[in-house]
């Protein structure tokens, strides 16, 4: 089966409980020079300013806002990208965070983008920062929403939930155990994605519970979660290891303008992390959002796009 832009969408990605994506969202697979594929989901104005979106950990490119008109109104050509081993992207075993900017640079070349913005949510945030650091003048602006911290920095992770710090520790020092954990994660999603999604909201803020259960967002989040497990747990394992290990650069060395948003009631990545990032990045502007949580990037999507496009 092929997406609107001609890319092959694996048959197993489709679930009867999930409605088909809007026609104006284009699913595509771009072949890289080393033979790997990068899966993308594109929406917005085809002649707009290019912006790559990197979704959070455990989700695929479909985690972008389900209404493509918001990107069109902002004058943005939005391209969400699956990381290796997730969704439609080929796996790259033992990858480091520094490899991601190389993939995005090649993807940008193939799409005809000279300069572009990057937007990272949660686990996608470190990938956006890596692009900002390594691609220099090619990156016009960087947006972060509830960005994951550099786990090798004890000060940065001081406020993180204990279970998340434990997972990052396992990723660095006992990766075999990580594979077992993510195998079980993918199994539960395959068996009952609806139940898993609802169960995962138990420890979230009220704001996040409302968003995840909102009919406007629930289907796309569930679809994204299923897609992320399409190839099994290895892509998730690789993704967590890439984030948990030292990033290979200092936050202070990121020179590209960074716009940062963080919800003040985020329980997944507490607002203290956002304050640390804002205080450490050398060229950032931060907004801390009252009554907003981890998934509030969806309710602030239009605001984020309009702010980034002014810098692009």
């Amino acid at each position: 089966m092929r997406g609107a832009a001609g890319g092959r969408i694996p048959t197993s990605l489709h679930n009867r409980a999930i409605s088909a994506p809007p026609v104006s969202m284009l699913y595509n697979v771009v072949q890289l020079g080393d033979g790997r594929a990068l899966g993308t989901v594109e929406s917005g104005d085809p002649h707009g300013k290019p912006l790559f979106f990197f979704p959070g950990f455990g989700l695929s490119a479909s985690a972008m806002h389900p209404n493509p008109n918001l990107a069109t109104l902002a004058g943005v050509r939005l391209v969400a990208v699956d990381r290796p081993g997730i969704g439609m992207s080929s796996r790259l075993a033992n990858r480091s965070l520094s490899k991601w900017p190389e993939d995005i640079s090649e993807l940008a070349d193939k799409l005809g983008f000279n300069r572009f913005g990057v937007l990272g949510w949660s686990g996608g945030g470190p990938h956006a920062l890596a692009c900002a650091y390594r691609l220099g003048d090619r990156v016009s602006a960087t947006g972060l929403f509830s960005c994951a911290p550099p786990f090798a920095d004890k000060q940065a992770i001081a406020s993180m939930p204990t279970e998340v710090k434990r997972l990052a520790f396992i990723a660095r020092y006992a990766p075999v155990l990580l594979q077992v954990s993510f195998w079980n994660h993918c199994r539960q999603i395959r068996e009952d994605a609806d139940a898993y999604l609802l169960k995962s909201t138990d420890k979230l803020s009220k704001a996040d519970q409302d968003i995840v259960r909102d009919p406007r967002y629930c289907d796309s989040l569930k679809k994204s979660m299923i897609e992320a497990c399409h190839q099994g747990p290895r892509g998730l394992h690789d993704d967590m290891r890439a984030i948990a290990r030292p990033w290979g650069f200092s936050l202070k060395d990121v020179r590209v303008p960074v716009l940062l948003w963080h919800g003040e009631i985020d329980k997944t990545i507490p607002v203290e992390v956002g304050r640390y990032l804002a205080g450490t990045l050398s060229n950032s502007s931060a907004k801390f959002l009252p009554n907003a949580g981890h998934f509030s990037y969806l309710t602030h999507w239009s605001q984020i796009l309009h702010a980034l496009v002014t810098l692009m």
Side-chain angles (χ1 to χ4, degrees):
M1 181 172 183
R2 294 188 177 272
R8 181 169 294 279
I9 302 175
T11 304
S12 59
L13 295 187
H14 296 277
N15 183 300
R16 286 179 296 178
I18 300 171
S19 57
V23 174
S24 50
M25 281 193 178
L26 306 180
Y27 284 65
N28 198 14
V29 174
V30 177
Q31 202 80 15
L32 300 178
D34 63 3
R36 289 183 297 119
L38 280 185
T40 67
V41 183
E42 184 172 332
S43 71
D45 182 354
H47 305 292
K49 294 183 178 180
L51 175 66
F52 288 114
F53 172 60
F54 308 144
F57 178 79
L59 296 174
S60 74
S62 296
M64 69 160 69
H65 196 288
N67 182 357
N69 294 328
L70 298 183
T72 302
L73 291 172
V76 169
R77 180 178 175 183
L78 187 66
V79 182
V81 191
D82 285 326
R83 292 195 287 280
I86 294 172
M88 298 180 288
S89 290
S90 305
R91 186 188 179 215
L92 179 62
N94 200 35
R95 71 177 181 90
S96 65
L97 194 62
S98 62
K99 177 61 177 173
W100 184 245
E102 297 177 21
D103 288 353
I104 293 302
S105 180
E106 186 175 351
L107 176 61
D109 290 341
K110 290 182 177 294
L111 295 176
F113 300 163
N114 181 30
R115 298 188 78 222
F116 47 85
V118 291
L119 169 62
W121 163 58
S122 191
H127 292 79
L129 286 170
C131 289
Y133 170 69
R134 297 193 177 276
L135 301 182
D137 290 341
R138 290 202 75 177
V139 177
S140 54
T142 302
L144 305 174
F145 197 104
S146 293
C147 179
F151 283 96
D153 184 336
K154 292 183 179 179
Q155 186 178 354
I157 66 171
S159 64
M160 288 291 288
T162 301
E163 60 269 25
V164 178
K165 287 192 282 189
R166 185 183 299 116
L167 191 64
F169 180 87
I170 292 171
R172 291 184 66 183
Y173 300 110
V176 173
L177 297 179
L178 197 68
Q179 289 194 42
V180 175
S181 174
F182 288 139
W183 178 86
N184 187 54
H185 167 87
C186 291
R187 177 188 61 80
Q188 291 181 68
I189 289 173
R190 284 194 302 269
E191 290 178 354
D192 194 337
D194 290 289
Y196 188 89
L197 183 60
L198 289 176
K199 181 182 178 181
S200 68
T201 67
D202 289 347
K203 295 182 180 180
L204 299 180
S205 67
K206 177 63 164 55
D208 281 331
Q209 291 178 359
D210 290 344
I211 291 170
V212 172
R213 295 168 183 173
D214 190 320
R216 292 174 296 174
Y217 310 123
C218 183
D219 276 359
S220 61
L221 288 173
K222 181 174 64 174
K223 180 178 187 295
S224 176
M225 189 174 65
I226 293 171
E227 288 178 354
C229 292
H230 161 64
Q231 299 181 53
R234 294 185 301 172
L236 299 178
H237 163 271
D238 299 337
D239 203 38
M240 176 56 72
R241 290 203 74 200
I243 298 170
R245 291 184 291 187
W247 293 357
F249 62 93
S250 168
L251 293 172
K252 294 179 180 179
D253 292 333
V254 177
R255 304 298 179 188
V256 174
V258 176
L259 299 183
L260 182 152
W261 292 265
H262 210 113
E264 291 187 348
I265 59 172
D266 188 338
K267 292 186 177 182
T268 305
I269 300 179
V271 69
E272 288 80 8
V273 172
R275 298 192 195 281
Y276 176 85
L277 295 174
T280 308
L281 289 163
S282 58
N283 187 10
S284 68
S285 176
K287 289 188 177 181
F288 300 101
L289 308 170
N291 303 314
H294 197 65
F295 287 87
S296 293
Y297 78 97
L298 289 166
T299 54
H300 290 76
W301 191 250
S302 184
Q303 172 189 332
I304 293 167
L305 298 185
H306 279 86
L308 285 172
V309 81
T310 63
L311 299 179
M312 293 164 59

